[in-house]
Amino acid sequence: MGWESHLTAASADIDLIDILWRQDIDLGAGREVFDYSQRQKEQDVEKELRDGGEQDTWAGEGAEALARNLLVDGETGESFPAQFPADISSITEAVPSESEPPDLQNNLLSPLLTGTESPFDLEQQWQDLMSIMEMQAMEVNTSASEILYNAPSGDPLSTNYSLAPNTPINQNVSLHQASLGGCSQDFLLFSPEVESLPVASSSTLLPLVPSNSTSLNSTFGSTNLTGLFFPPQLNGTANDTAGPELPDPLGGLLDEAMLDEISLMDLAIEEGFNPVQASQLEEEFDSDSGLSLDSSHSPSSLSSSEGSSSSSSSSSSSSASSSASSSFSEEGAVGYSSDSETLDLEEAEGAVGYQPEYSKFCRMSYQDPAQLSCLPYLEHVGHNHTYNMAPSALDSADLPPPSALKKGSKEKQADFLDKQMSRDEHRARAMKIPFTNDKIINLPVEEFNELLSKYQLSEAQLSLIRDIRRRGKNKMAAQNCRKRKLDTILNLERDVEDLQRDKARLLREKVEFLRSLRQMKQKVQSLYQEVFGRLRDENGRPYSPSQYALQYAGDGSVLLIPRTMADQQARRQERKPKDRRK
DNA sequence: TCTCTATGTCATGCA
DNA sequence: CATGCATGACATAGA
């Protein structure tokens, strides 16, 4: 499909979003940029980013163009701002197309062409170019539907790039052999639309291939160089004239899944990374982390695999749990807080088992403290069973409650002590249990059984003791459990923070990679212009960029092919990744 | 009075 | 099987 049709539709079309996104892959712009629900919010950000300079322009230009109907490349979906560096704009204006008059091509000069440039320099540049292509091949080759790059493993310079034997224009002209005119003033730049060439067009082919290796297969598997060589600005100039859409081979360097997350986050990072804002943005990105998310921001880009912190957190929490448990044990907390509930004698005499309702119905004015003080177990009443109260605090906390002001000091104290006792302590007192709850609960089983054997206890007393022990242990267990749970939550929060930091760092690195990738593309582009501009036909005249283009074949050869064939091939190959995407 | 938090307790499962 | 521990669920007190 052509880009124009989509652009004219210009509505919220998913296909258009896909296209724009794909074409902006090499620009570092994520799919989110094209999300219409998000676009409005992002426009301001993008505007700021664009204003920030050329470095920041590329990231959001697709969406910007979509929103403003700016110039958008019909092939790549890439828009370009009106202001260009002079050299770039001159190039883009002159990029030839079928509808452009040929004389426009004369405006183009390779910016790198100089009369003093030595052939060695050119070779060096060509070597660089081939190296880049090889890198590209390694990344792109894995995709069957992707344009095939079968870069030669050998030294690129050792490759003999020659024209196909049956080309009507020239035969066996390698790039080395091609007459490299010095600084031709009327050097014509090529058009960026060219991508590749169909097999059937071999008769019109002008392959620059390694010696006799120009198989049609390799030609078929050739790769668009123009998308690689031309920066988005250049591609954008073909908007009005060009037909075929051109996938960017270098886009294959970037995993789609990875690029899915490029968006506001990246932009924010590139603007000047703010960890706090980044974290907030990440939360909006994130669909699975359980954090506050806004899926409307990027419905199509939500990566389904936000790093789960379960593993790390579980390990850390488990360790924390053990530490928490041990630390808790060190506290020796018994967990007896104030509880004024007590049992009456009736219960004390007749209680067989613990009845929770008793504490509600039997709230009573217990026995006279003076009497209780005579009981042997009362010597332990003052024992600090308060779970979270320091002994000194307990000792000094003898302020009587207002209700007890009229009572005697002894009574007040007893009342207070009574309130410090737990229900089980009250029950134990009521049942005349001859040892402390602390012992009941904390003694080891053997010692506990020994203790029980020392006394003649009724069945009711034994039952209560067992209940006290059970409840006491469970109380501590509950406290440990809650502390563990709290620690787990804290560890998870810490893990989330760490992961957010890691994510922000990775995004930062990604932006840097994209930036360097763009620079590399620009370099390759200039090298392409350099090489193409120095090619000469049998009459010593340069090839017209509107009619020919260089094409990188899978076997490492470079072909000089007619643009019409390349356009057809480009259309054919453009459909593949799109179908694959669906 | 309602809500929230801390704590105790029970039931249950596991070791 | 008894015991202890862990934990979810519920109840309750108190701020």
Side-chain angles (χ1 to χ4, degrees):
Chain A
M1 66 188 80
W3 300 109
E4 292 87 351
S5 60
H6 280 285
L7 292 171
T8 50
S11 60
D13 188 344
I14 292 301
D15 287 342
L16 179 55
I17 293 173
D18 277 344
I19 291 161
L20 291 173
W21 167 78
R22 190 176 358 146
Q23 291 302 322
D24 264 19
I25 280 178
D26 56 327
L27 300 181
R31 184 183 291 256
E32 296 86 347
V33 174
F34 305 107
D35 180 55
Y36 282 73
S37 64
Q38 181 188 5
R39 202 179 59 220
Q40 202 63 32
K41 300 176 185 176
E42 295 180 349
Q43 280 185 11
D44 295 337
V45 179
E46 290 166 0
K47 199 171 184 177
E48 292 179 4
L49 291 171
R50 245 191 330 278
D51 295 340
E54 190 269 342
Q55 280 287 325
D56 298 325
T57 302
W58 56 275
E61 58 190 24
E64 178 65 17
L66 196 62
R68 294 189 180 183
N69 288 327
L70 289 182
L71 290 175
V72 177
D73 181 15
E75 294 176 333
T76 64
E78 291 162 346
S79 65
F80 55 94
Q83 64 280 8
F84 276 118
D87 54 340
I88 298 293
S89 59
S90 64
I91 291 173
T92 55
E93 286 169 9
V95 167
S97 66
E98 294 158 279
S99 62
E100 284 178 342
D103 56 341
L104 275 178
Q105 300 165 1
N106 295 333
N107 297 335
L108 296 181
L109 286 175
S110 171
L112 297 182
L113 278 180
T114 61
T116 60
E117 200 164 30
S118 67
F120 175 80
D121 290 337
L122 181 60
E123 275 198 5
Q124 187 60 46
Q125 291 181 357
W126 183 253
Q127 187 176 13
D128 293 343
L129 185 144
M130 295 307 294
S131 300
I132 293 170
M133 289 178 179
E134 281 185 289
M135 287 170 44
Q136 186 177 352
M138 289 188 294
E139 298 288 337
V140 180
N141 251 344
T142 56
S143 175
S145 57
E146 204 76 32
I147 302 166
L148 296 179
Y149 273 172
N150 292 321
S153 57
D155 181 4
L157 277 180
S158 66
T159 305
N160 181 20
Y161 302 98
S162 59
L163 292 169
N166 55 353
T167 170
I169 296 178
N170 204 343
Q171 292 187 358
N172 296 325
V173 177
S174 72
L175 287 181
H176 295 293
Q177 297 164 345
S179 60
L180 299 178
C183 198
S184 176
Q185 291 294 321
D186 56 353
F187 162 69
L188 303 179
L189 277 179
F190 51 88
S191 167
E193 289 88 357
V194 181
E195 180 181 354
S196 59
L197 187 68
V199 177
S201 64
S202 61
S203 61
T204 59
L205 196 60
L206 292 175
L208 292 162
V209 298
S211 54
N212 71 17
S213 68
T214 331
S215 68
L216 294 179
N217 289 338
S218 64
T219 303
F220 202 55
S222 60
T223 298
N224 171 26
L225 288 175
T226 55
L228 168 68
F229 292 157
F230 278 87
Q233 290 83 356
L234 290 180
N235 279 338
T237 56
N239 182 28
D240 299 330
T241 59
E245 61 274 27
L246 296 178
D248 185 355
L250 279 186
L253 286 170
L254 305 171
D255 183 39
E256 289 183 13
M258 182 185 95
L259 287 160
D260 272 345
E261 290 192 337
I262 305 177
S263 68
L264 272 180
M265 184 65 187
D266 294 11
L267 303 181
I269 289 171
E270 191 169 4
E271 263 297 284
F273 180 70
N274 182 339
V276 176
Q277 294 175 350
S279 297
Q280 294 169 351
L281 286 169
E282 287 167 36
E283 289 185 3
E284 295 180 355
F285 274 123
D286 196 336
S287 64
D288 297 331
S289 68
L291 302 173
S292 62
L293 305 173
D294 188 354
S295 59
S296 67
H297 276 224
S298 55
S300 61
S301 71
L302 297 175
S303 102
S304 62
S305 61
E306 173 59 14
S308 168
S309 63
S310 60
S311 60
S312 62
S313 63
S314 61
S315 61
S316 59
S317 64
S318 62
S319 62
S321 301
S322 60
S323 65
S325 181
S326 61
S327 66
F328 182 82
S329 299
E330 290 170 3
E331 293 173 8
V334 184
Y336 289 3
S337 59
S338 63
D339 192 329
S340 61
E341 290 180 0
T342 183
L343 299 175
D344 57 8
L345 282 176
E346 188 178 71
E347 180 198 359
E349 293 167 359
V352 177
Y354 168 62
Q355 301 292 332
E357 290 74 16
Y358 267 127
S359 58
K360 294 169 184 170
F361 296 130
C362 303
R363 189 183 298 266
M364 59 167 289
S365 58
Y366 45 83
Q367 297 128 314
D368 185 359
Q371 289 178 303
L372 292 174
S373 63
C374 301
L375 297 174
Y377 58 79
L378 275 187
E379 67 185 83
H380 305 295
V381 166
H383 189 89
N384 177 17
H385 294 297
T386 305
Y387 168 61
N388 49 6
M389 187 179 284
S392 59
L394 187 68
D395 294 338
S396 62
D398 55 357
L399 297 174
S403 61
L405 284 177
K406 294 180 180 178
K407 300 179 181 177
S409 62
K410 264 191 177 181
E411 201 174 348
K412 295 176 199 171
Q413 193 169 3
D415 186 58
F416 175 73
L417 291 175
D418 179 73
K419 289 189 175 181
Q420 294 300 309
M421 289 195 303
S422 71
R423 278 175 286 186
D424 275 337
E425 281 176 313
H426 284 290
R427 293 189 193 103
R429 183 195 295 177
M431 290 286 286
K432 298 182 171 60
I433 305 298
F435 30 80
T436 65
N437 283 24
D438 184 45
K439 281 185 178 178
I440 291 174
I441 295 168
N442 294 318
L443 279 180
V445 184
E446 294 180 1
E447 294 182 34
F448 175 67
N449 289 331
E450 261 183 53
L451 186 66
L452 290 183
S453 63
K454 287 179 186 173
Y455 298 86
Q456 280 288 352
L457 298 169
S458 68
E459 197 58 37
Q461 283 176 316
L462 288 175
S463 177
L464 176 61
I465 287 171
R466 278 190 283 270
D467 285 342
I468 288 172
R469 186 176 173 88
R470 177 179 50 80
R471 280 193 289 265
K473 286 191 174 300
N474 185 251
K475 188 192 292 182
M476 290 187 291
Q479 288 162 350
N480 285 338
C481 184
R482 283 167 178 144
K483 188 171 184 179
R484 244 191 324 272
K485 193 183 287 184
L486 201 62
D487 287 342
T488 301
I489 292 173
L490 292 176
N491 284 328
L492 286 172
E493 287 176 348
R494 221 172 295 133
D495 290 342
V496 169
E497 291 175 4
D498 291 343
L499 289 172
Q500 286 177 338
R501 225 173 291 126
D502 290 345
K503 185 179 179 182
R505 177 181 52 78
L506 291 172
L507 284 172
R508 234 176 6 243
E509 292 176 1
K510 185 169 73 176
V511 170
E512 284 304 313
F513 286 139
L514 290 172
R515 202 175 275 157
S516 64
L517 179 63
R518 188 164 56 101
Q519 293 173 354
M520 210 179 299
K521 280 183 176 182
Q522 290 173 346
K523 185 178 179 183
V524 172
Q525 171 222 345
S526 58
L527 289 174
Y528 179 96
Q529 297 176 19
E530 190 80 15
V531 171
F532 189 91
R534 297 187 180 211
L535 288 179
R536 295 293 182 272
D537 59 12
E538 65 272 18
N539 297 324
R541 291 177 301 201
Y543 289 102
S544 168
S546 62
Q547 295 172 356
Y548 297 99
L550 289 180
Q551 190 175 62
Y552 183 77
D555 59 356
S557 61
V558 174
L559 310 175
L560 183 64
I561 58 172
R563 273 200 50 235
T564 52
M565 296 297 103
D567 292 347
Q568 294 175 8
Q569 185 68 21
R571 287 192 200 93
R572 195 171 301 138
Q573 294 195 355
E574 175 58 26
R575 291 188 200 104
K576 293 179 183 177
K578 187 155 192 73
D579 294 342
R580 181 171 52 102
R581 194 182 306 275
K582 290 176 182 174

